Amino acid sequence: MKARHGLGAVICVLALMGGAEAQTRGTIRIVGSSTVFPFTTAAAENFGAITEFPTPVVEATGTGGGMNLFCAGVGVEHPDMTAASRRMKSSEFNLCQTRGVSQITEVLIGYDGIVIGNSLEAAALDISKHDIFLALADRIPQPVNDDGEAIVDGEGRFISGYAFSDVADYSCAAFVKNPFQRWSDISADLPTSRIEVYGPPPTSGTRDAFVELGLQQGARGFACMDQLYTQDRARFEEIASRIREDRAWIDAGENDNTVVQTLINSPSAFGVFGYSYLEQNADRIHGGHVDGVEPTYDAIAGGDYPISRSLYLYVKNQHVGIVPGIQEYIEHFTSEDAWGPFGYLAERGLIALTDEERFEASEVARALAPMAHAPEE
C-alpha cells in the first residue's frame, strides 16, 4: 500500500498550482535527451507494468529543449522530469529559479559514449580527435607549407599552385573556412569519400558533448590552439565550437534512430549518436575507433574511450505528491534490477555507474535532495 498525502494538503498545493487544471493529470511526464530516451522509456514501461501507477509519458525533445520545458514553471502543464545527456548549465538552473522551479534533484544515472558510426557495408572509421576537428570545424587554423607560408585564403580556397598535399602545418595567425571536402584531404589514412556526417542539432546534449569532447579536445592537439585556449578562452571556444554549415555536417533532428536509418541507406556517410543506438543496431552499423579505441561497453565504463559523458535525470520536487508516482518511479529507476550492471537498462546500452557511484546517486535520488546551487561549468 503506497503512502498518500492528506487530502487537505493536496487541495492546498493544487490551488497554488492552478486549481482545476492541476487536477487533470495523473500520469508522470518526462521530456529531454534523445540519448536517454531509450532508458527513461524502458523504465516507464516496466514501472507501469509492475506498479499501480499509469505508465509515464516520455518525449524526446533534446536536452536543451527539455531544459526549457522543465524550467518553464511549476504546475501540471509543465513536465515533472527532464533527461539530459550533459549536466544542467548554470544558465538553465538560474532560469528554473526565476520561473519558480526552485527544488530540483539531480540524478546521475550512468555513462554513454558518443559514437561516429556507419553502415557495415563500409569500413569503420579510425580517426583521431585532431582529425575530427579538421573534418567538422567551420574554421580552422591557416594551413601553411614547409616554409610557413599561407596556402589557403580566408574563404577556404587553395592559393594558386598549392594543393592538399602541400599542407605541412597550421598557423593561428589567421583562421580560414574549412577547405577539406574529402576525408583523405586531411590524411591519406582516412576514406576517400566526401565528408558527410549526420548528427544532432544545436539543442541536443549529444551535440554539446561531441563539440566539447571531440572538436574542442581535437583543437587542442594543435600547439597554437592549445596556447590560445590558455591565453584567450573565449576566442578558442568561438573557433573550436562551431561546426561547419556547408553540408559536411547535416543536422538530422533529435531522433537518433533517424540517423541510424540514414546510415543504412547511405553507406558512404557517417553519423554521430549515443552508444545505446550502436548496441541496438549492431547487426547493421558499427562504431569507429577514436584515438585508437573502439566504442565498447568496457572501454566507455573504464574511461578509455575518449568521447564519453555522463547522463542525468532531473526531478521537479515541487510536483512530488501532486502528480502520483514520481517518488516511486525514481526508486524503480535507481534499483539494481534497472540501472545496475546486469539490469535491464544495461541491456539497452546504459553504461552503469560503479557500485560506489550508484550507492551515492541512489541516496541523493531517493531522498530527493535538492541542488543547493548552480552547477559549475
Side-chain angles (χ1 to χ4, degrees):
M1 193 73 174
K2 294 183 170 59
R4 295 287 186 263
H5 288 262
L7 180 60
V10 172
I11 292 174
C12 178
V13 179
L14 287 175
L16 291 173
M17 293 176 62
E21 181 186 23
Q23 300 178 52
T24 61
R25 181 155 68 83
T27 303
I28 296 168
R29 182 185 172 204
I30 306 169
V31 295
S33 166
S34 62
T35 296
V36 187
F37 178 77
F39 312 134
T40 47
T41 299
E45 291 170 351
N46 277 269
F47 178 72
I50 67 175
T51 73
E52 65 188 60
F53 298 102
T55 299
V57 174
V58 185
E59 304 168 62
T61 62
T63 294
M67 290 293 181
N68 286 334
L69 291 168
F70 180 81
C71 291
V74 175
V76 295
E77 67 272 28
H78 306 294
D80 311 304
M81 304 179 209
T82 190
S85 53
R86 56 160 172 77
R87 200 173 188 200
M88 176 182 277
K89 297 178 180 179
S90 60
S91 59
E92 292 164 340
F93 179 86
N94 292 333
L95 175 63
C96 273
Q97 302 301 306
T98 61
R99 299 291 176 83
V101 185
S102 58
Q103 299 291 309
I104 305 166
T105 294
E106 177 185 73
V107 186
L108 174 64
I109 64 171
Y111 299 112
D112 184 41
I114 301 176
V115 175
I116 306 176
N118 65 319
S119 168
L120 287 174
E121 294 182 19
L125 198 61
D126 189 350
I127 195 169
S128 66
K129 294 194 299 291
H130 173 279
D131 290 341
I132 289 174
F133 172 76
L134 287 179
L136 297 175
D138 181 62
R139 303 186 77 84
I140 66 170
Q142 170 70 261
V144 297
N145 62 14
D146 286 324
D147 296 323
E149 299 169 333
I151 60 176
V152 173
D153 67 20
E155 295 305 310
R157 297 181 294 256
F158 276 86
I159 296 169
S160 179
Y162 292 109
F164 293 109
S165 58
D166 294 308
V167 177
D169 203 351
Y170 297 86
S171 168
C172 291
F175 295 94
V176 302
K177 292 291 289 183
N178 196 320
F180 301 116
Q181 300 301 313
R182 296 181 178 275
W183 296 99
S184 54
D185 293 340
I186 299 168
S187 168
D189 295 329
L190 295 174
T192 58
S193 57
R194 182 170 62 89
I195 299 171
E196 183 182 8
V197 179
Y198 291 82
T203 54
S204 168
T206 297
R207 176 160 166 157
D208 289 341
F210 181 71
V211 166
E212 178 184 352
L213 301 171
L215 266 70
Q216 290 186 8
Q217 290 299 313
R220 293 189 65 183
F222 298 84
C224 69
M225 287 294 287
D226 193 48
Q227 184 177 25
L228 184 64
Y229 174 85
T230 302
Q231 296 178 345
D232 188 345
R233 183 73 61 85
R235 178 61 171 158
F236 170 86
E237 292 186 355
E238 178 187 355
I239 298 297
S241 301
R242 186 169 181 180
I243 292 178
R244 59 197 297 184
E245 299 176 348
D246 58 357
R247 302 295 293 173
W249 172 280
I250 301 105
D251 286 346
E254 293 287 1
N255 189 342
D256 287 1
N257 281 316
T258 302
V259 176
V260 171
Q261 190 58 49
T262 299
L263 301 183
I264 294 166
N265 297 330
S266 306
S268 65
F270 293 86
V272 172
F273 46 85
Y275 170 78
S276 65
Y277 289 87
L278 174 63
E279 179 85 0
Q280 296 165 26
N281 296 279
D283 59 331
R284 301 186 293 175
I285 57 176
H286 49 190
H289 291 60
V290 177
D291 288 344
V293 182
E294 183 181 2
T296 64
Y297 184 102
D298 289 341
I300 297 167
D304 298 319
Y305 183 68
I307 310 183
S308 303
R309 41 56 187 289
S310 302
L311 304 179
Y312 296 89
L313 189 61
Y314 291 89
V315 184
K316 189 175 295 178
N317 294 357
Q318 289 145 290
H319 283 193
V320 175
I322 306 303
V323 176
I326 294 176
Q327 175 87 51
E328 291 83 356
Y329 177 83
I330 293 300
E331 291 176 359
H332 174 78
F333 197 107
T334 57
S335 68
E336 286 298 290
D337 287 342
W339 77 346
F342 303 104
Y344 65 80
L345 294 179
E347 296 175 1
R348 299 293 185 100
L350 179 67
I351 310 298
L353 302 170
T354 65
D355 292 348
E356 181 179 353
E357 288 170 333
R358 289 199 311 283
F359 174 79
E360 292 178 355
S362 66
E363 289 283 294
V364 170
R366 295 176 181 223
L368 290 172
M371 300 168 67
H373 50 74
E376 296 181 4
E377 295 182 18

